[in-house]
Amino acid sequence: MRIGLLTDGGHPYATGESRLWCDRLVRGLAQHEFDLFALSRSAEQEARDRVRLPVQVGRVRTARLWTADEDVPGTRAAKGLLARMVTGGGTRSYGRRERRRFAAHFSALAASVRAGSGEGAGAGGPGGEGRTSVADAQFTDGLYGLAELAREHGGLTAALRSDTAVRLLEAACRAPGAGRTVRTATVPDLLAFARELDRVLRPLSLDWYDEEEGLGAVDLCHATSGGAAALPGLLAKRFFGVPLLVTEHGAQLRAHYLAATGAPLNAPVRALLAHFHGRLATEVYRQAEIVTSGNAHARRWQERCGAERGKLRTVHPGMESGRFTALGESGDSGPDDTLVWVGRIEPAKDLIALLHAFAEVRRAEPDARLRIIGAPAPGPEGAPYLAHCRALAAQLFPDEATDAHAVGDNPVSFEEIGGAEVADLPDAYAAGGVVVLSSVVEGFPAGLVEAMFCGRATVSTDVGAVVEVIGGTGLVVPPRNPRALADACLALLRDPERRARLGAAARARALELFTVEQNLAAFRGIYLELISHAPVRREAEAVGADGGPRPFATPPEAHVLGPWTASGPAPAATADRRPSWAAGPRAVCAGVRGAGGGDA
């Protein structure tokens, strides 16, 4: 089948786990064809070398979300077909009818985001099954109305940033039922919200929605995150009936809430954006046939945001285990006196609590050592936080010397992978007998899984998906509790046999649940399940490359024979006894798509 893979700020440009996951998916499911539709977040991202793509990738289409609409190659504005259309020597805006349509749809959208999230969850929210709130209905009417306007008459950037849009937003914020914070919005706040809204709704103006080379030509849309990345999938389902699969390794709405706290925006703008993203998440979850999460923690967030429980699947991220095989199978439980922390140094990792916990460990075990291995996180917080941790370590543990003529040594060391002693990631985990995770915020703890692949005993804080990942193969303590962290570390340092048992159990659990192979097997099954319920729509695609029938080109009911399936008078014995709806894939799929591709 042909899969439309929708990415936002990731594959095929970005580095890191997001890019690796998509690359493994495309390469691992080589029996399918993939078209990549990528939303680009920055010029720096596009400047990086694109990952080398395998032969099963048919085309790559990129749209920029960081430039003005008229400059975006992936939008219809760049081809002169958008809100400002070139006619002769000048330009003309939307006509009167289009302006009225825009005002009606944008008013509905603005009305839906002026109220707080307490005005009704989505159809799958707690206590809200089978019901859709008025605000959700207004949101869908506005969103799809704007999408149809952009598809028929051009894009939306000029209209979304117009005086009309600001006046409509102001009227919505002053209307009865508006949230208390939203009512305080000033004109600069409304302009800022209109600018942010234009960026989020940029996918509505793309030229991706056609049946020749766009999303109408794929059999399945797979959005690799919620939010903006899923918008093209929503429109592909709306316009062409293409089924939508959404994968979120962490809940996208939760990520937006966390990012909004540090954004340089006023409170009314943050409130409006939070309401908008909440409505968008509800609609994405409602329209998706299946929503996968990377862990149960993210799945619970998806349920709170309106996802129906019957649509949710947990598919753990697949991680490469081969590089850790030698250490994991060596049977070595590591040094008896050394704790090791491996990761990216940033405030969320709470190394301050780890250093205070290690001070307690040193009082009980004077020979204990702590090795902190990792680089500071990119951004304004990483390097200052590392400097603060170094200063605290120097204060808590002054350099010690065995006698008056020896050089002092600090029991805490800060190292980076690639040095003389820690050449590679497995060497980092081999450096200690106990691997420690001290985070106060964590999604899916990839570093913990790596330690499990290495057969190491672990001590972790109870955050994010830690308990789900570790099971009963490690010790878990409350976050921000240095005393509990110290006691757990001492218990394992003093008991090598227990460390060995826990390490072996941890490796067995990781190989069973968190490998690339189990991840690919899960998505292979999901793809087949979805396409079996949504047969191909084009008659030419009913025939495979070998000339035989293509799997799932027609539903199994089409092959059932018997007088009960006849569409007219009782046929002769030699006549075709299939009903009219089984005459061919086009007839079959017209009915299926018509039933499933109606108004959302």
Side-chain angles (χ1 to χ4, degrees):
M1 72 186 78
R2 180 181 292 181
I3 311 297
L5 195 63
L6 310 173
T7 68
D8 181 10
H11 190 70
Y13 297 101
T15 58
E17 196 60 36
S18 172
R19 193 271 299 169
L20 286 175
W21 174 77
C22 292
D23 193 48
R24 291 166 182 161
L25 181 72
V26 172
R27 295 180 185 277
L29 301 181
Q31 69 271 35
H32 301 303
E33 303 171 13
F34 286 86
D35 291 344
L36 301 185
F37 296 84
L39 299 177
S40 167
R41 286 287 174 178
S42 66
E44 292 78 9
Q45 181 187 84
E46 289 191 37
R48 302 190 190 105
D49 291 336
R50 202 167 75 181
V51 63
R52 187 183 297 275
L53 298 172
V55 295
Q56 57 264 33
V57 176
R59 63 176 66 90
V60 178
R61 302 183 69 173
T62 303
R64 299 171 183 169
L65 302 186
W66 47 273
T67 62
D69 190 76
E70 288 81 0
D71 301 328
V72 180
T75 63
R76 296 172 63 195
K79 302 176 181 179
L81 298 174
L82 279 179
R84 296 191 171 185
M85 296 173 284
V86 176
T87 56
T91 63
R92 66 178 176 86
S93 299
Y94 281 150
R96 182 178 302 174
R97 181 178 300 176
E98 289 76 28
R99 289 198 298 271
R100 284 200 300 266
R101 287 179 61 187
F102 173 80
H105 299 317
F106 190 78
S107 295
L109 189 70
S112 71
V113 301
R114 72 187 177 198
S117 58
E119 299 234 343
E129 292 190 13
R131 296 184 288 111
T132 302
S133 70
V134 173
D136 287 335
Q138 290 174 323
F139 180 83
T140 56
D141 290 344
L143 180 69
Y144 294 125
L146 291 174
E148 290 166 0
L149 180 63
R151 189 183 183 209
E152 296 170 11
H153 299 285
L156 300 169
T157 287
L160 288 172
R161 299 195 181 193
S162 66
D163 293 341
T164 300
V166 175
R167 285 196 296 269
L168 294 172
L169 282 172
E170 185 175 22
C173 293
R174 305 291 184 264
R180 181 170 53 187
T181 304
V182 168
R183 287 199 299 268
T184 65
T186 62
V187 172
D189 293 332
L190 299 176
L191 289 170
F193 175 67
R195 182 177 63 251
E196 295 297 323
L197 189 62
D198 167 46
R199 292 187 180 278
V200 178
L201 295 181
R202 187 69 57 80
L204 272 59
S205 300
L206 300 177
D207 62 346
W208 292 355
Y209 311 109
D210 62 80
E211 293 190 277
E212 298 298 328
E213 297 184 353
L215 289 169
V218 304
D219 300 311
L220 170 67
C221 280
H222 185 176
T224 58
S225 68
L231 264 177
L234 287 179
L235 300 190
K237 181 172 183 179
R238 175 82 173 188
F239 296 148
F240 311 110
V242 178
L244 173 62
L245 165 66
V246 176
T247 291
E248 290 183 317
H249 289 123
Q252 187 73 13
L253 186 58
R254 175 179 179 269
H256 169 78
Y257 287 158
L258 292 175
T261 57
L265 298 171
N266 292 335
V269 183
R270 294 199 302 269
L272 287 168
L273 285 173
H275 300 165
F276 173 84
H277 283 283
R279 302 294 180 202
L280 179 58
T282 298
E283 178 63 9
V284 168
Y285 294 149
R286 189 165 70 91
Q287 292 297 336
E289 271 69 27
I290 291 178
V291 180
T292 70
S293 60
N295 53 75
H297 179 254
R299 179 170 175 162
R300 288 191 294 271
W301 263 90
Q302 291 170 338
E303 283 195 62
R304 292 194 193 105
C305 296
E308 295 179 16
R309 183 170 297 180
K311 293 183 177 182
L312 296 178
R313 311 280 179 85
T314 299
V315 180
H316 296 115
M319 300 180 61
E320 293 286 353
S321 61
R323 64 193 303 191
F324 306 109
T325 300
L327 177 60
E329 296 182 352
S330 66
D332 178 18
S333 61
D336 294 338
D337 61 349
T338 304
L339 305 175
V340 63
W341 180 95
V342 182
R344 189 170 58 181
I345 298 175
E346 57 186 338
K349 303 304 182 183
D350 201 10
L351 294 183
I352 302 300
L354 175 60
L355 290 171
H356 284 289
F358 184 63
E360 298 288 336
V361 172
R362 286 277 292 181
R363 292 189 184 97
E365 295 289 338
D367 293 332
R369 300 185 63 83
L370 171 62
R371 299 181 67 174
I372 296 175
I373 303 174
E381 293 184 334
Y385 187 72
L386 173 59
H388 179 53
C389 292
R390 287 181 181 274
L392 179 61
Q395 178 183 351
L396 292 175
F397 311 103
D399 288 349
E400 302 172 352
T402 56
D403 55 59
H405 303 286
V407 177
D409 182 31
N410 195 301
V412 178
S413 62
F414 292 84
E415 309 166 55
E416 291 192 24
I417 295 175
E421 296 187 9
V422 187
D424 201 359
L425 193 56
D427 297 326
Y429 292 107
V434 178
V435 177
V436 186
L437 184 145
S438 55
S439 302
V440 293
V441 177
E442 196 75 54
F444 182 83
L448 193 60
V449 176
E450 291 171 346
M452 294 168 71
F453 281 141
C454 293
R456 284 296 185 256
T458 59
V459 175
S460 312
T461 49
D462 186 5
V463 293
V466 165
V467 172
E468 177 187 359
V469 167
I470 202 67
T473 66
L475 304 187
V476 180
V477 301
R480 295 192 177 96
N481 191 332
R483 183 66 202 179
L485 192 63
D487 289 344
C489 291
L490 284 169
L492 292 184
L493 286 177
R494 291 169 171 171
D495 194 341
E497 294 184 359
R498 187 183 184 190
R499 288 206 317 270
R501 290 196 305 271
L502 288 175
R507 176 169 169 79
R509 178 178 176 83
L511 291 175
E512 179 183 1
L513 298 178
F514 307 121
T515 61
V516 174
E517 291 74 20
Q518 67 81 25
N519 182 268
L520 293 176
F523 279 109
R524 184 181 294 111
I526 290 173
Y527 282 179
L528 292 177
E529 176 184 348
L530 288 178
I531 206 64
S532 68
H533 293 105
V536 295
R537 295 164 294 139
R538 294 163 295 280
E539 191 168 348
E541 294 192 2
V543 179
D546 59 353
R550 188 168 183 169
F552 308 117
T554 56
E557 292 87 348
H559 304 286
V560 177
L561 301 179
W564 56 87
T565 63
S567 58
T574 57
D576 185 357
R577 302 176 67 89
R578 293 182 303 166
S580 59
W581 52 263
R586 183 179 297 276
V588 171
C589 298
V592 173
R593 296 291 183 180
D599 289 350

